[in-house]
Amino acid sequence: TVSVLYWRVSVRSEMACRLVNVHTYTARNSAGAAHLCCSYLPASIAVGLILGIILPYYHMFVFGTLAPAAFGLGAKKDEEVPVSLFWLVLASSVVCFTLLLTSYFRAVFTCPGYVDPATWRQRPEVVEDAPASYAQPAVARLTRTGELRYCSRCALYKPDDAHHCSDCGRCVAKMDHHCPWINNCVGRDNEKFFFLFILYVPVCAVHIDASIIAYYALSGASMGFRGHHIGNLMVALGAGTFGLVLGLFSLFHAHLIATSQTTLDHKFSTERQRHWALKLLTCNLPPPRVIAERFSLVLGPDWRLWFCPVATPAGPRQDQRWASV
């Protein structure tokens, strides 16, 4: 009785400490709803950081500095700028920030693609090449001892590119990693949105800094430590820092896509982990046609929709040279 009671307390304590999301957890009472809401605290912090750049940018620069200078609303004569600059900055910023926020929320609320238990509970067939579909249970990747990869927690066999996520408690198809900032796994069905999110952060940062620099270059105003000018300086520095960090991460993730890897593949390969930057700098990459094909597997077959945060038909699984684990 004591052991059973201890086991129940341990399980409940583990569940209370584990982060959950809307894809794997259903709140059945108020405590469960509070648990679900608290699990999205890191994601809320990420949204706060993003809005902490966007909102001051509009308040201090677009409507506090640029609009008065464009429409002559109290600005000095030598600090005025063309009205077209204001409309260009406003329109382009709305497009950039809409793409950024849409990509982020789609990465958060799109299911990463969990392995279907009905298909993968039956013993898969072992083949030489990586299978082209998840529909039929067939694998080319085995363990170091030559056995099938089996998940005892989910009670199913793992597809070649699937891994069990201890945070989600499910096996995720083409799992890249579990990101606490979106409270979700990055997998087969939401990798595009995650990549677009980390790509649009530096794009928006460049837009913010470029628009502020363009204003001061065209108006002749000096960026002093007064009024909106110091606010503009802080926004530019914050956006630049944020964009630099996420820009390096997006460059790394683009390298993973181009070389047909995931973050977990890279993590478990010491040689790749040490030399990926050197390979990227020396352009030791596949031919452009192969890179385009691999990007189409993540971003979709229609290149015109590559940079739009919309769902695209799933392509075949990537042809990878599986390493034994």
Side-chain angles (χ1 to χ4, degrees), residues 8 20 36 38 42 44 50 55 62 68 102 128 133 160 167 169 174 176 182 196 217 232 235 261 267 280 282 311 315:
R8 289 181 176 178
V20 296
L36 183 62
C38 290
S44 301
I50 296 172
L55 296 181
V62 177
T102 303
E128 293 185 1
S133 173
D160 286 334
D167 295 285
K174 196 178 178 292
D176 188 85
I182 65 173
L196 290 182
N232 296 337
V235 169
Q261 301 179 66
K267 178 181 179 181
L280 186 60
T282 56

Side-chain angles (χ1 to χ4, degrees), residues 4 7 11 54 59 117 153 192 197 208 252 255 296 307 309:
V4 172
W7 177 80
V11 171
I54 294 177
H59 174 69
R153 295 184 179 183
K192 173 183 179 178
F197 163 64
I208 290 174
F252 168 69
H255 172 265
S296 67
F307 300 103

Side-chain angles (χ1 to χ4, degrees), residues 85-101:
L85 178 63
F86 169 78
W87 292 116
L88 176 62
V89 169
L90 181 63
S92 57
S93 65
V94 169
V95 172
C96 289
F97 297 147
T98 300
L99 291 172
L100 170 66
L101 293 174

Side-chain angles (χ1 to χ4, degrees), residues 5-26:
L5 180 61
Y6 175 78
W7 177 80
R8 289 181 176 178
V9 172
S10 300
V11 171
R12 290 182 179 180
S13 300
E14 181 181 358
M15 288 297 295
C17 297
R18 184 168 64 89
L19 297 180
V20 296
N21 58 42
V22 295
H23 311 297
T24 59
Y25 182 79
T26 302

Side-chain angles (χ1 to χ4, degrees), residues 139-143 147-149 160-161 163 265 322-325:
V139 297
R141 186 179 187 179
L142 302 175
T143 63
E147 299 176 353
L148 292 170
R149 300 169 66 240
D160 286 334
D161 52 4
H163 296 276
D265 293 332
W322 303 110
S324 300
V325 294

